[in-house]
């Protein structure tokens, strides 16, 4: 029995065009069957989008929890799960379980731990984890300190066709630090490290990419010097990509004022100059992905003195709305926003989704791009309300969500 | 810094409770110049009574003050305990070593427990920056910060300022050199904020490994040469160097630190002839300061600092409990 869904009177937006265009979309048996169909099967269910945006479901690159209510609220249909969330994904069994964790209405793509126990010494069973469903390799919340191990990892993962996803901070410089060097850290008396700890880590990994030819994603780049290095590397044709979360685009280290632990992030919030550099890197195309870094943390991790609190924010719910800020500020087109949110992550993970293209999985999100709402830490769908954007008025809300053609919200 | 508040002459504070409208004393950063002056003037009133044979007052009789020290301390705890007792309050001390903190209780739970015991004021020291504010947000009584991590130690800065004012007659226009481990020092942060707020020229001198970033943004000139910082100084504040900084991570050795950054007679001669020497204690004699400087009665005011400490803490406890005691003009 075939199942058909026709969404009409929508404005279609994806990475293939800068601006939304009026249109309709036909789903048959969970896949996108036709754009602007002339006719639909008589059994098709019709949905009138009333002119709202219809976009590919968001693919969130690098989350720390399978937090379905938050993902669905935020229009996220697939999430790439970091290997050091609730469980350490360093063996095939755990990867296989994690991959099934959200089905059917949320697909989790586990990222294989690069090394055993994420200790940075011995390669984990990357090939077996790939067979169990891992879509890429990740070093977790820290980088691999040993350059020899990192080099072997890159070439090994590349041979399997996997991208390596890294955290970029030099652990020697950032040991014990919870903030970026600057007036704010000094006034608050917080242990801090220079922002260039990021550029140092990026520089090493770029040299290793040049050496091995292996594809690499810097999950979060947050400094002007880091982006300068990546721009140059991309210009010389190296297979590197980089991502960012909204926190580093819309907040600087002043958000740590009053020791607000929801603003304790990794990497830490940066100076205003670096924040501006992040926005510029989004605008000029250097940034490839915008993700939430979703890491819900309860009071046991956050209601602590700043330096003792765990880093991380619950970002899944606000990802889309904050991304739309980039559109309203004229930094990206709607089409480019969905390249950052869907098409580029899909390509890296090698999944048949991320665009409104015939034959792709019908992971679809209907968005009222102007609907106002307020981020409220006390009223969140996420497992915990640790957002540094508490109280911020935003615009853009998911009004419907389909995973594989089945409405899940 | 040109809000109308800071244009008011520092010595001219408003009457009654308006002179100090805060429930807590958490940081010098929250105070205006006149609030600082007010606290110093209040402290001044206790200096003479403290020198009398009978020092007891019953101003805080019936009130309970909890000194909750999550980090070891001898002199600050003693100073607060004496201050509370001289005011007639019931003073209870809680040491982290004997508390349920060691049993894994969270800081917030400990704070809620103390709060339920209905203290009238809490004096809190904690090893982590911001921890005292975190507790203050959860309790119903005035909270006094007795030092939080590297952040602030407001009563120390007040007692230092009072000592300077009594020695030099003023603070505005003085050149004050703060020397030593500024990076890890809450004493340095509070003093920088207080002294710059009252118009002193503040210099800091430290090895580059012990200088925090962006000091220029706090209206301070940073020196890596102690000699250069001492040139023409009116006041020299030495900071304690923690033993664990001398193991090679920040500094090669204690003796090298003494050679480069120790306050010796020779170095003292670079400052003004009447320059005053201060130290928050406890001192590492022969490391950051030589004994013949520390013990020089003409130059060193280190014991006077300790004496002023009690007066300042009495004043703070008195002022912070005035609302609860329904003092006229404060209720």
């Amino acid at each position: 029995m075939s199942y058909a869904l026709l969404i009409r009177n929508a404005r279609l937006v994806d990475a293939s065009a800068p601006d939304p265009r009026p249109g309709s979309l036909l789903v048959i048996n969970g896949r996108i069957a036709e754009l602007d169909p002339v006719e639909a099967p008589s059994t098709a269910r019709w949905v009138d989008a009333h002119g709202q945006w219809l976009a590919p479901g968001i693919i969130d690159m690098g989350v720390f929890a399978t937090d379905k209510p938050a993902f669905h609220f935020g229009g996220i249909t697939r999430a790439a799960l970091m290997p050091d969330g609730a469980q350490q994904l360093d063996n095939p069994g755990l990867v296989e379980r994690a991959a099934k964790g959200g089905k059917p209405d949320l697909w989790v793509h586990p990222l294989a731990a690069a090394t055993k126990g994420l200790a940075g010494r011995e390669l984990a069973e990357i090939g077996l984890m790939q067979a169990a469903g891992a879509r890429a390799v990740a070093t977790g919340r820290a980088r691999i300190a040993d350059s020899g191990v990192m080099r072997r990892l890159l070439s090994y993962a590349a041979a399997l066709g996997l991208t390596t996803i890294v955290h970029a901070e030099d652990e020697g410089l950032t040991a014990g630090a919870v903030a970026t060097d600057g007036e704010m850290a000094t006034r608050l008396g917080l242990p801090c490290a220079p922002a260039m700890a990021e550029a140092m880590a990026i520089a090493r990994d770029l040299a290793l990419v040049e050496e091995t030819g292996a594809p690499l994603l810097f999950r979060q780049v947050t400094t002007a010097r880091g982006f300068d290095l990546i721009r140059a590397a991309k210009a010389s044709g190296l297979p590197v990509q980089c991502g960012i979360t909204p926190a580093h685009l819309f907040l600087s280290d002043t958000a740590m004022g009053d020791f607000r632990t929801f603003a304790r992030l990794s990497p830490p919030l940066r100076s205003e100059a670096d924040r501006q550099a992040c926005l510029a890197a989004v605008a000029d195309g250097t940034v490839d992905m915008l993700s939430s870094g979703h890491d819900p943390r309860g009071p046991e991790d956050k209601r602590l003195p700043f330096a003792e609190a765990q880093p991380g924010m619950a970002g899944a719910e606000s990802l889309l709305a904050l991304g739309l800020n980039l559109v309203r500020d004229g930094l990206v087109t709607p089409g480019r926003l969905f390249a950052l949110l869907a098409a580029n992550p899909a390509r890296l993970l090698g999944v048949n989704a991320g665009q409104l293209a015939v034959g792709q999985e019908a992971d679809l999100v209907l968005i009222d791009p102007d609907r106002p709402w307020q981020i409220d830490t006390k009223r969140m769908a996420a497992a915990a309300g640790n957002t540094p954007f508490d109280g911020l008025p935003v615009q853009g809300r998911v009004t419907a969500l389909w995973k594989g053609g089945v409405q899940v919200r | 810094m040109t809000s109308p508040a800071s244009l008011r002459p520092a010595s001219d504070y408003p009457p009654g409770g308006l002179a100090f409208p805060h429930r807590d004393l958490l940081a010098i950063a929250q105070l205006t110049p006149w609030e600082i002056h007010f606290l110093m003037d209040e402290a001044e009133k206790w200096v003479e009574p403290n020198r009398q044979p009978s020092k007891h007052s019953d101003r805080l009789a019936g009130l309970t003050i909890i000194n909750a020290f999550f980090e070891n301390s001898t002199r600050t705890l003693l100073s607060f305990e004496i201050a509370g007792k001289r005011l007639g309050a019931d003073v209870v001390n809680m040491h982290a070593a004997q508390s349920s903190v060691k049993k894994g209780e969270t800081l917030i739970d400990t704070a809620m427990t103390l709060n339920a015991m209905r203290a009238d004021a809490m004096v809190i020291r904690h090893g982590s920056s911001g921890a005292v504010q975190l507790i203050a947000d959860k309790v119903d009584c005035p909270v006094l910060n007795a030092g939080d991590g590297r952040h602030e130690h407001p009563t120390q800065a007040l007692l230092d300022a009072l000592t300077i004012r009594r020695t030099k007659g003023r603070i505005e226009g003085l050149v004050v050199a703060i020397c030593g481990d500024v990076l890890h020092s809450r004493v340095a942060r509070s003093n920088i904020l207080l002294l710059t707020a009252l118009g002193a020229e503040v210099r800091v001198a430290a090895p580059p490994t012990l200088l925090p970033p962006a000091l220029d943004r706090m209206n301070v000139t940073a020196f890596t040469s102690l000699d250069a910082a001492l040139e023409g100084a009116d006041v020299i504040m030495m900071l304690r160097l923690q033993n664990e900084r001398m193991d090679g991570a920040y500094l090669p050795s204690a003796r090298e630190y003494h050679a480069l950054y120790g306050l010796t007679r020779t170095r003292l001669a670079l400052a003004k002839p009447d320059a005053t020497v201060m130290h928050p204690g406890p001192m590492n004699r022969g490391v950051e300061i030589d004994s013949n400087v520390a013990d020089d009665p003409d130059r060193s005011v280190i014991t006077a600092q300790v004496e002023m400490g009690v007066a300042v803490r009495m004043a703070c406890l008195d002022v912070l409990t005035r609302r609860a005691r329904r003092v006229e003009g404060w209720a």
Side-chain angles (χ1 to χ4, degrees):
Chain A
M1 195 184 96
S2 77
Y3 167 82
L5 167 72
L6 177 68
I7 303 168
R8 51 181 210 127
N9 193 18
R11 302 180 69 208
L12 308 183
V13 53
D14 75 354
S16 66
D19 291 306
R21 63 167 184 86
S24 56
L25 183 146
L26 178 66
V27 175
I28 293 179
N29 287 338
R31 290 187 184 275
I32 299 173
E34 199 175 347
L35 298 178
D36 302 317
V38 180
E39 54 180 4
S42 56
T43 55
R45 201 169 80 81
W46 288 31
V47 170
D48 189 333
H50 298 292
Q52 296 180 86
W53 288 11
L54 184 65
I58 293 170
I59 302 174
D60 198 353
M61 179 60 78
V63 301
F64 292 91
T66 304
D67 190 356
K68 201 181 285 182
F71 292 149
H72 283 172
F73 183 101
I76 295 161
T77 48
R78 293 167 186 256
L81 181 64
M82 290 293 281
D84 46 359
Q87 269 185 324
Q88 208 160 54
L89 305 177
D90 70 344
N91 76 58
L94 289 172
V95 165
E96 194 174 345
R97 232 181 75 179
K100 291 176 181 157
K103 284 184 179 176
D105 48 353
L106 170 76
W107 280 22
V108 175
H109 299 300
L111 302 174
T115 54
K116 287 178 186 149
L118 284 166
R121 286 189 291 274
E122 303 157 281
L123 296 183
E125 294 171 326
I126 297 166
L128 293 179
M129 288 192 276
Q130 182 181 28
R135 290 283 180 174
V137 179
T139 65
R141 296 176 193 269
R143 74 162 186 168
I144 291 175
D146 186 318
S147 306
V149 174
M150 187 62 191
R151 182 186 170 191
R152 291 191 289 277
L153 166 70
L154 280 172
S155 50
Y156 193 88
L160 295 168
L162 297 175
T163 299
T164 301
I165 300 171
V166 299
H167 180 87
E169 278 188 292
D170 181 279
E171 60 290 325
L173 284 169
T174 58
V178 299
T180 306
D181 275 7
E183 180 182 357
M184 205 62 204
T186 293
R187 283 186 186 273
L188 294 175
L190 293 174
C192 52
M196 67 83 176
E198 178 176 283
M200 275 188 62
I202 290 173
R204 182 201 72 171
D205 286 348
L206 288 176
L208 292 172
V209 167
E210 198 173 357
E211 172 82 10
T212 58
L216 181 140
L217 168 72
F218 295 101
R219 193 170 66 86
Q220 298 181 79
V221 179
T222 60
T223 62
R225 290 181 69 177
F227 282 118
D228 287 346
L229 290 171
I230 286 167
R231 261 183 217 107
K234 285 186 164 190
S236 66
L238 293 187
V240 293
Q241 293 182 273
C242 67
I244 195 164
T245 73
H248 290 93
L249 290 168
F250 296 113
L251 299 173
S252 67
D253 58 0
T254 54
M256 301 185 304
D258 277 338
F259 299 97
R260 278 188 286 269
T261 56
F262 286 179
R264 164 122 161 75
L265 304 175
S266 170
L269 289 170
R270 306 299 193 185
S271 68
E272 178 62 17
D274 276 329
R275 183 181 85 87
Q276 294 296 337
C278 291
L279 291 170
V282 168
D284 72 10
T286 306
V287 172
D288 300 286
M289 286 171 214
L290 180 66
S291 52
S292 74
H294 192 65
D295 195 1
R297 297 274 192 179
E300 65 283 2
D301 289 333
K302 284 292 190 184
R303 211 192 289 159
L304 293 168
F306 194 91
E308 294 167 26
Q310 294 296 318
M313 68 170 276
E317 280 155 84
S318 49
L319 175 63
L320 174 65
L322 293 168
L324 286 167
N325 277 355
L326 299 171
V327 175
R328 277 185 286 269
D329 291 347
L331 295 171
V332 297
T333 61
R336 165 118 163 97
L337 177 63
F338 279 91
L340 296 169
L341 290 173
N344 293 349
R347 195 173 305 118
L348 187 147
L349 295 169
V351 295
N352 185 25
Q355 286 192 260
L356 302 180
V358 172
Q360 288 207 347
E361 285 269 339
D363 298 351
L364 303 167
V365 57
L366 197 61
I367 300 162
D368 178 346
D370 298 317
R371 189 197 291 186
W373 58 288
Q374 192 171 23
I375 299 172
D376 182 348
T377 181
K378 292 188 190 65
R379 298 173 55 201
M380 281 173 52
N386 52 310
T387 171
F389 293 105
D390 185 30
L392 185 75
V394 289
Q395 274 180 278
R397 187 88 174 239
V398 172
T399 54
L401 187 68
W402 293 267
K403 174 77 196 79
V406 178
Q407 186 158 5
V408 297
R409 185 183 165 84
Chain B
M1 290 302 279
T2 50
S3 64
S6 62
L7 293 176
R8 172 189 280 273
S11 53
D12 171 29
Y13 37 80
L18 295 174
F20 195 84
H22 311 281
R23 190 196 71 168
D24 308 307
L25 177 60
L26 299 178
I28 297 296
Q30 71 176 188
L31 303 182
T32 62
W34 84 72
E35 287 162 6
I36 294 168
H37 262 276
F38 169 71
L39 289 178
M40 287 166 65
D41 290 351
E42 287 292 316
E44 190 80 59
K45 295 176 187 167
W46 292 107
V47 175
E48 275 312 311
N50 276 340
R51 289 175 178 172
Q52 304 308 313
S54 170
K55 304 173 179 66
H56 196 79
S57 150
D58 57 3
R59 189 169 292 199
L60 301 195
L63 300 193
T64 305
I65 296 171
I66 299 182
N67 293 326
F69 276 55
F70 297 88
E71 189 184 70
N72 283 334
S73 159
T74 310
R75 54 179 60 214
T76 306
L77 177 58
L78 203 55
S79 182
F80 269 108
E81 185 172 359
I82 289 172
K85 286 184 168 162
R86 282 196 187 156
L87 290 167
D90 299 316
V91 181
V92 189
N93 296 332
M94 191 203 82
H95 303 271
Q98 331 166 333
S99 79
S100 49
V101 176
K102 282 267 158 81
K103 299 175 194 158
E105 186 177 62
T106 70
L107 186 57
I108 297 291
D109 289 337
T110 308
M112 299 308 284
T113 305
L114 296 179
N115 191 49
M117 293 176 187
R118 305 246 172 239
D120 298 290
M122 284 189 208
V123 178
I124 299 168
R125 167 170 287 195
H126 195 282
S128 201
S129 302
V132 177
Q133 182 175 326
L134 187 67
I135 296 174
D137 290 343
K138 300 288 168 196
V139 302
D140 302 317
C141 68
V143 172
L144 254 151
N145 181 1
D148 64 323
R150 315 172 174 188
H151 178 224
E152 284 228 39
H153 190 356
T155 56
Q156 178 72 40
L158 287 164
L159 74 89
D160 286 339
L162 183 61
T163 309
I164 294 172
R165 196 173 73 175
R166 287 174 62 89
T167 312
K168 299 286 184 193
R170 66 192 166 102
I171 287 174
E172 193 173 353
L174 293 181
V175 176
V176 182
I178 302 176
C179 314
D181 183 1
V182 180
L183 179 64
H184 299 98
S185 176
R186 53 193 172 217
V187 175
R189 276 175 187 70
S190 286
N191 265 311
I192 287 169
L193 291 166
L194 190 155
L195 294 167
T196 53
L198 295 193
E201 178 195 330
V202 179
R203 305 168 176 175
V204 303
T209 48
L210 294 175
L211 272 177
L215 274 175
D216 53 316
R217 300 299 300 271
M218 297 180 75
N219 307 311
V220 168
T221 319
F223 293 79
T224 50
S225 153
L226 180 57
D227 292 4
L230 292 182
E231 198 109 4
D234 294 288
V235 177
I236 303 162
M237 265 185 200
M238 301 307 294
L239 299 172
R240 176 177 165 77
L241 185 68
Q242 304 285 344
N243 289 327
E244 61 265 29
R245 316 286 179 224
M246 296 184 252
D247 61 5
Y250 291 90
L251 297 168
S253 67
R255 66 177 189 173
E256 177 156 327
Y257 183 76
H258 178 258
L260 297 177
Y261 293 97
L263 186 62
T264 59
R265 275 236 163 269
T266 323
R267 287 218 169 91
L268 180 56
L270 297 167
K272 287 212 178 122
D274 63 343
T276 302
V277 174
M278 305 176 76
H279 193 297
M283 286 182 279
N284 293 305
R285 291 172 181 267
V287 181
E288 71 259 7
I289 191 164
D290 275 2
S291 283
N292 57 13
V293 176
D295 300 336
D296 181 345
D298 299 329
R299 311 298 291 275
S300 166
V301 293
I302 293 169
T303 51
Q305 288 174 270
V306 178
E307 185 189 359
M308 293 309 122
V310 176
V312 160
R313 283 153 189 149
M314 288 172 81
C316 291
L317 290 172
D318 169 30
V319 167
L320 290 181
T321 54
R322 281 184 191 176
R323 276 182 193 85
R325 289 185 287 118
R326 305 199 170 280
V327 173
E328 199 184 334
W330 289 75

